[in-house]
Amino acid sequence: MINTRARWLVAVVTLALGAVLGPAAVTPAAAVPAQMPEPPSAEVVRTELADLTIEAPHSMNGYSRAKFPHWSQQGSKCDTREVVLKRDGQNVTQDDQCRAVSGSWHSLYDDKTLTSASQVDIDHMVPLANAWRSGADDWTTARRKQFANDLQHSQLIAVSAASNRSKGDQSPDQWTPPSHGYWCTYARAWTDVKHIYQLSVTQPEADRLASMLDTCA
């Protein structure tokens, strides 16, 4: 609620400044952070991290992205990808098929501004393959679909295609966002998603998450 009200106040102030001073005086839209649901505080997440099961990765036998039905329909011809593009972007316009045809996006992983939806990937904070190795191999297809399209928690975020593909299915001990300023939020989001879905972590993963949480103010 606090974050929602804060964003509303920022929007009101920005519009007021634009009306009084003109467009050149308004901060560019791309400077506004993506609107991924805010993960819990570092204090809460440290407790969640301590509660996670630590174990070796499960086998990748049987894994397929098709077992995680993703980009499901969300109504009004929009699928999950288009919903996140609209949510995380600024001044996004969509065609009659709900496809983003213009707008800008600020990729918090690498602090890049993107001006075309083709430059944007929707990242699963906890990648599908990592989830499989962490316990999703025992889930039902319905549960995997819920995980792959979770708009309620900090699981989906619009980022640069380059950063998403660099990350792949790696855990935080193997890959971290190039922008160190995002490490706190990244660790909070990753840990919270694993806690919500009762997924396991490896020991190196847990150690890296703990050190990343130490960057939180």
Side-chain angles (χ1 to χ4, degrees):
M1 183 64 70
I2 293 175
N3 290 329
T4 299
R5 180 165 179 78
R7 290 196 296 269
W8 177 81
L9 288 171
V10 168
V12 170
V13 171
T14 300
L15 287 172
L17 285 172
V20 174
L21 302 176
V26 181
T27 301
V32 179
Q35 302 302 312
M36 178 186 75
E38 184 73 12
S41 68
E43 180 180 5
V44 170
V45 169
R46 285 190 181 95
T47 300
E48 292 181 343
L49 180 58
D51 192 46
L52 295 179
T53 297
I54 296 177
E55 63 180 11
H58 298 192
S59 170
M60 286 296 287
N61 288 341
Y63 170 75
S64 168
R65 286 180 64 85
K67 293 185 177 180
F68 292 80
H70 49 291
W71 309 161
S72 60
Q73 290 299 306
Q74 301 291 341
S76 301
K77 299 182 180 179
C78 297
D79 63 19
T80 304
R81 171 181 163 79
E82 297 299 343
V83 169
V84 178
L85 282 172
K86 177 72 172 178
R87 183 197 72 188
D88 289 4
Q90 298 296 316
N91 302 318
V92 177
T93 58
Q94 297 170 305
D95 64 16
D96 59 3
Q97 298 300 312
C98 199
R99 294 171 297 202
V101 294
S102 66
S104 63
W105 294 264
H106 184 67
S107 173
L108 294 173
Y109 283 2
D110 49 7
D111 201 28
K112 291 182 178 178
T113 297
L114 313 167
T115 57
S116 170
S118 64
Q119 301 172 311
V120 182
D121 277 0
I122 307 305
D123 181 46
H124 290 95
M125 178 64 62
V126 176
L128 306 183
N130 183 280
W132 179 273
R133 295 192 295 269
S134 306
D137 53 334
D138 289 331
W139 289 355
T140 63
T141 299
R143 181 65 165 166
R144 295 186 193 116
K145 181 178 180 179
Q146 178 187 12
F147 177 82
N149 296 277
D150 189 346
L151 293 166
Q152 180 180 356
H153 304 106
S154 308
Q155 169 63 345
L156 297 171
I157 184 171
V159 297
S160 70
S163 65
N164 182 49
R165 293 164 197 181
S166 173
K167 171 182 173 179
D169 65 354
Q170 299 177 94
S171 53
D173 55 302
Q174 302 164 322
W175 185 92
T176 50
S179 176
H180 288 199
Y182 197 62
W183 282 16
C184 172
T185 302
Y186 191 83
R188 287 160 53 217
W190 180 287
T191 304
D192 187 53
V193 169
K194 284 223 161 176
H195 189 263
I196 289 166
Y197 285 94
Q198 298 181 316
L199 295 169
S200 63
V201 290
T202 65
Q203 188 63 64
E205 179 184 352
D207 292 344
R208 184 59 162 165
L209 287 166
S211 66
M212 292 175 73
L213 288 171
D214 287 342
T215 67
C216 298

